[in-house]
Every structure is written in C-alpha cells, then in structure tokens.
Amino acid sequence: MSQARKLGLEYSHKFNIMEENLNIINKAEESMISAINHLEGELAKIRAGKANPIMLKNISVDYYGNQTPLNQVANVNTPNNQTISIQPWEKSLLDEIEKSIADSNLGFNPVNNGESIIINIPPLTEERRVELTKLAKTESDSAKVTIRNIRQDSNQKIKSLDISEDLKSNNEIDIQELTDKYSKIIDDMFSSKEKDILTL
C-alpha cells in the first residue's frame, strides 16, 4: 500500500472517530433539551392559583374531523387572575370546547354563556399549594435523573471510542458541562414554578 494511501486511510479513520465523538456530544445535548421540553410540559399541567392560558395548553377540539389545539380555533385570554375566557372563532365550536375542557380531568367547570366559555379558577388552599409544590419537585427530580442517565450513557460511548485518554477525558468534561448547564435550567424552572404556586 502506498504511503499516501496509508496516510489517507489513517486520516479518514481519525476523521470518522472525531465525527463519531462530536455526534455523541451533540446527541447528548439534543436528549437533554428533550428532557427540558418534557419537564416544561409537565410543569405547565400543574396549575397555580392564578388563571393562565397555558393551563389549557393540552386541550384539543374536534374541528371538522381533526383534533386541533384549542389556541388554533379560539382566542384564549385572562381578563383577571381568577378567570380564563375562551372566545371561539366559530360559535358552532362552543359546545365542543366546553365538552373537551370538561372531559380533560383538569378539574375545571367551564361555563358556556352562548358567546364564550368562562372558566373560574378557584384560589388554592395552603394544603393544595404544598401538594402542587411537591408534585413540581418530583417532576423536576425526574428530569434530573434523565439528564444524569444521558451523561452516563454518553460517557460509556466515549470510553468505547478509539481515541487517547486525554481526548476521552476532555469529552467527559464537555458532557459534564452540559449536565451542569441543564441541571441548572431544571433548578431554575422548579424555582419559578414553586414561586408561581406559593404566591397568593
């Protein structure tokens, strides 16, 4: 084999290893972002005492045979801290929206006044606030476990690469930095949700 071809193969092998190496770090970050997005959705389901359109984020309605997100068929707003108002773009959707909210297990009692749907959000008791804070903490801790599992899995893949110990160590440091970054985001998300729940 010619020296040039040998060098070319070595370079190609090294390039493939480096590319695989970069893929591990990129995939780890993508997975961590997915965990953050999942947590965001779970925390949104935990309602604080104040009315917020995000409480209805997961509500879909039957719109001409298609399950369509509520905010794509109606204007959802909060005229005050205890009320959500839903103004459908087509009046014919009023009953369908009312039914979807009533069937959602969110514990809301929608009122259809013939023009819009009104939801009154009762103030939370102190006991309920503590329960919701614990629930938010459980969801946040679960997201942290997911982040740590991604770190562990990524480090295992790095160890199996045909690269120097120094490079392995550097990559593990990169993975740890990602872990710290997204764990901090989770802490901030929980703190914000806790404040939201406990603020009267």
Side-chain angles (χ1 to χ4, degrees):
M1 183 186 294
S2 73
Q3 188 67 22
R5 174 148 173 73
K6 190 176 177 186
L7 285 171
L9 285 173
E10 281 178 11
Y11 175 79
S12 176
H13 177 67
K14 281 181 182 174
F15 179 77
N16 286 339
I17 293 289
M18 293 310 290
E19 194 172 30
E20 191 179 346
N21 188 16
L22 196 59
N23 275 344
I24 291 170
I25 293 168
N26 286 343
K27 283 183 179 171
E29 183 156 31
E30 282 173 19
S31 298
M32 289 181 186
I33 290 169
S34 291
I36 295 293
N37 289 338
H38 177 74
L39 175 61
E40 188 175 32
E42 292 306 304
L43 292 180
K45 293 176 192 172
I46 301 172
R47 71 176 190 86
K50 293 187 293 294
N52 190 326
I54 205 167
M55 293 173 171
L56 303 176
K57 181 182 175 186
N58 297 313
I59 300 287
S60 293
V61 295
D62 186 342
Y63 185 61
Y64 296 108
N66 294 316
Q67 284 300 310
T68 307
L70 177 61
N71 64 3
Q72 290 182 19
V73 297
N75 186 23
V76 183
N77 60 52
T78 50
N80 58 56
N81 275 348
Q82 301 304 131
T83 310
I84 299 176
S85 170
I86 303 146
Q87 184 79 51
W89 297 328
E90 296 177 26
K91 269 194 186 180
S92 58
L93 288 172
L94 279 167
D95 290 341
E96 182 61 36
I97 292 170
E98 182 183 15
K99 182 178 181 302
S100 294
I101 294 168
D103 293 347
S104 69
N105 293 325
L106 288 172
F108 295 143
N109 294 313
V111 176
N112 181 346
N113 64 15
E115 294 290 329
S116 59
I117 306 284
I118 302 296
I119 299 172
N120 288 311
I121 309 296
L124 296 174
T125 63
E126 189 62 35
E127 186 181 2
R128 184 66 179 140
R129 287 177 193 276
V130 171
E131 281 175 23
L132 292 178
T133 302
K134 283 181 184 172
L135 182 57
K137 183 80 170 100
T138 300
E139 292 294 349
S140 300
D141 288 346
S142 175
K144 278 191 168 182
V145 169
T146 301
I147 298 289
R148 287 196 294 270
N149 287 341
I150 294 165
R151 177 191 63 192
Q152 192 174 6
D153 183 49
S154 301
N155 284 341
Q156 288 293 338
K157 287 175 182 169
I158 288 166
K159 282 185 171 70
S160 70
L161 288 177
D162 182 19
I163 55 176
S164 71
E165 289 305 314
D166 279 353
L167 266 177
K168 286 180 184 179
S169 178
N170 287 342
N171 288 324
E172 285 174 1
I173 288 168
D174 287 343
I175 294 291
Q176 185 59 52
E177 284 176 355
L178 287 177
T179 303
D180 293 343
K181 173 183 170 182
Y182 288 103
S183 294
K184 171 75 166 57
I185 289 172
I186 290 169
D187 286 340
D188 290 346
M189 288 170 74
F190 169 70
S191 294
S192 174
K193 189 67 182 182
E194 181 182 38
K195 185 179 176 185
D196 195 30
I197 294 168
L198 296 178
T199 301
L200 295 169

